[in-house]
Amino acid sequence: MTHPEPLLHLPPLREVIAAHGLSASKALGQNFILDEQLLGRIAKVPGSLKGERVYEVGPGPGGLTRALLRAGAEVVAVERDRRCLVPLGALCEASGGRLRVIEGDALEIDEATRIGPAHIVANLPYNVGTALLVRWLGGEAWPPWWRSLTLMFQLEVAERIVAAPNSGAYGRLAVLAQWRSAARIAMKVHRSAFVPPPKVMSAVVHITPAPAPDGVAPAMMERLTAAAFGQRRKMLRRSLQPVPGALDALARLGIDSARRAETLAVSDFIAIARLLGSA
């Protein structure tokens, strides 16, 4: 185990940002967190990370990265902002080999091959956060390559992930997050914790894989929810019409086709997708 001393004597994040002339890029969806106590709390959400591999997307100047390293993790971070590579390089040296930085776009990385089994912990760039989450929740392989997700989102998005049926926030994201995973809001984060402060509150969501229901094809679940919530104000008899067999499945399950998608429980979508198979 690397001696933690170099990590204990790093310059404050504000000094690092000033020294390298960094500022959060709106185009990249960046908002930096400088409060090291808060970053330490986020790093504790997945549980003990000592000796665990962690994948971080968009480390920026490395605030959360420091917290993860101090928690004993082996960190692989992907960063597309070249301005941040120099301060991250200094952090690599201080980590004693426990930090590897990949320059690139997280949306284009073959994570299962390049990262391998890992906990994902990230203050996600706002402009790609939902796209990354949908990708991590999807796919045929289950359990997935990731062991848990600890992710910062705008509060509105976080509430959509954990929402229950018959609520305004309930939609496709909730079903995709909950049909074979367990999702919860681990903490809310005030906008003042960020530099620059965003216009909205944020929250950390923690997601862990659960056993996948038998006989349900992920591709069908994705297709079904896309249709059902694509026109969420329409009745199911209209919104599910493009999905072959869906209306017959509703009838067999005793689900009124005059209902709207937001009234169906996750278990209802599982039952419909199971009847539809992989069609």
Side-chain angles (χ1 to χ4, degrees):
M1 175 65 69
T2 301
H3 196 282
E5 182 101 3
L7 293 172
L8 295 176
H9 298 286
L10 292 168
L13 283 168
R14 287 188 185 277
E15 291 184 12
V16 172
I17 290 172
H20 295 280
L22 297 177
S23 59
S25 166
K26 187 174 182 179
L28 295 178
Q30 293 174 331
N31 292 93
F32 301 150
I33 301 177
L34 307 185
D35 183 336
E36 298 205 9
Q37 287 190 336
L38 172 59
L39 292 166
R41 287 172 55 207
I42 295 171
K44 290 180 180 178
V45 169
S48 175
L49 292 176
K50 187 174 182 179
E52 295 285 335
R53 179 177 296 162
V54 171
Y55 177 48
E56 183 186 6
V57 175
L64 181 56
T65 317
R66 293 183 181 198
L68 295 169
L69 291 169
R70 287 169 176 158
E74 307 274 341
V75 181
V76 180
V78 59
E79 179 57 69
R80 62 177 295 190
D81 187 351
R82 303 191 71 178
R83 302 174 306 157
C84 296
L85 298 181
V86 173
L88 289 173
L91 194 51
C92 283
E93 293 182 16
S95 75
R98 289 192 294 119
L99 171 62
R100 175 164 62 97
V101 177
I102 299 172
E103 180 184 0
D105 187 337
L107 289 169
E108 299 175 357
I109 289 178
D110 181 355
E111 297 152 328
T113 301
R114 297 192 66 180
I115 311 299
H119 297 274
I120 304 178
V121 184
N123 173 21
L124 289 176
Y126 282 160
N127 56 354
V128 296
T130 302
L132 284 169
L133 176 63
V134 169
R135 188 177 75 177
W136 292 331
L137 293 172
E140 300 293 325
W142 204 263
W145 64 271
W146 50 269
R147 293 177 175 172
S148 71
L149 305 174
T150 302
L151 306 172
M152 182 80 73
F153 290 102
Q154 295 180 22
L155 179 58
E156 179 185 355
V157 177
E159 290 173 339
R160 285 167 50 203
I161 294 168
V162 304
N166 290 302
S167 65
Y170 184 71
R172 183 175 188 238
L173 201 54
V175 179
L176 294 181
Q178 296 174 35
W179 79 274
R180 55 180 180 176
S181 300
R184 66 182 177 90
I185 291 180
M187 69 175 76
K188 295 182 180 180
V189 182
H190 195 272
R191 53 188 297 274
S192 61
F194 298 86
V195 177
K199 296 179 180 179
V200 296
M201 294 280 287
S202 298
V204 175
V205 175
H206 185 59
I207 301 175
T208 52
D214 292 334
V216 180
M220 175 53 69
M221 182 62 81
E222 292 174 14
R223 182 180 180 186
L224 179 65
T225 53
F229 291 103
Q231 303 178 73
R232 61 181 297 140
R233 299 313 303 163
K234 289 192 175 182
M235 292 181 289
L236 292 170
R237 67 166 64 106
R238 294 290 301 276
S239 62
L240 292 184
Q241 201 167 26
V243 182
L247 299 185
D248 288 339
L250 292 179
R252 289 175 61 186
L253 293 167
I255 297 173
D256 187 352
S257 64
R259 291 170 63 181
R260 292 185 172 90
E262 65 264 26
T263 69
L264 268 60
V266 174
S267 58
D268 292 326
F269 283 103
I270 290 172
I272 297 167
R274 182 178 284 124
L275 284 182
L276 293 176
S278 58

